[in-house]
Amino acid sequence: DAGVIQSPRHEVTEMGQEVTLRCKPISGHDYLFWYRQTMMRGLELLIYFNNNVPIDDSGMPEDRFSAKMPNASFSTLKIQPSEPRDSAVYFCASSLGVSYNEQFFGPGTRLTVL
Amino acid sequence: DQQVKQNSPSLSVQEGRISILNCDYTNSMFDYFLWYKKYPAEGPTFLISISSIKDKNEDGRFTVFLNKSAKHLSLHIVPSQPGDSAVYFCAASATYSGAGSYQLTFGKGTKLSVIP
């Protein structure tokens, strides 16, 4: 099992540019989660999907952030336009939608916005 | 308002001794708790969990204790090993509080250093 795959692992961009982060969940998992980790706020849930449908996006900081899951094996998190305060590590996680199942995290994408 | 709190940002322990990591929560709807371990440049990995119907769960060197009345849980590692050096996150879920409530609320983490 390859686990959750995220790309790129590192992204450096300039303020105002569009950034797209990608995630491939574990095959068979029906929940997908996007998190952001910063020193100040720790690990925050941004949005999660069930069977490709967004369930709760209340953690998305503002309209500059959007997430899609066009199929069961792929999701994107897009930031447009990016700002320096978006610099963080972004994690994708997946799980089986059964009670008491833990989430499996990808290695993360470290985003730096200059 | 932080619903899951890990008040110790760091902890240093001698190899072979016990490590105790603490976590407090405020939301009484939380009914499932997990500990994750994170190494640098990697994603968090699941370590151990406990349901609110229990007060203790053990897995090898790792034991989690839950005190519902105090809204407190702790992770004990005995004996501690240098490979246990990592950041430990406490997480909580209100699994039965509503439809699709599988989201986790995380604490900010405690960095454990096990000194050889």
Side-chain angles (χ1 to χ4, degrees), chain A residues 9 31 40 45 48 100 103 106, chain B residues 32 36 41 43 100 102-103 108:
Chain A
R9 292 294 309 275
Y31 277 78
M40 288 295 294
L45 177 66
Y48 76 96
Y100 300 162
Q103 297 175 16
Chain B
Y32 189 58
Y36 279 79
Y102 300 119
Q103 54 185 307
K108 289 190 176 182

Side-chain angles (χ1 to χ4, degrees), chain A residues 92-114:
Chain A
C92 174
S94 69
S95 71
L96 283 171
V98 178
S99 296
Y100 300 162
N101 272 34
E102 68 271 15
Q103 297 175 16
F104 293 81
F105 282 76
T109 295
R110 180 173 294 277
L111 173 65
T112 302
V113 183
L114 304 174

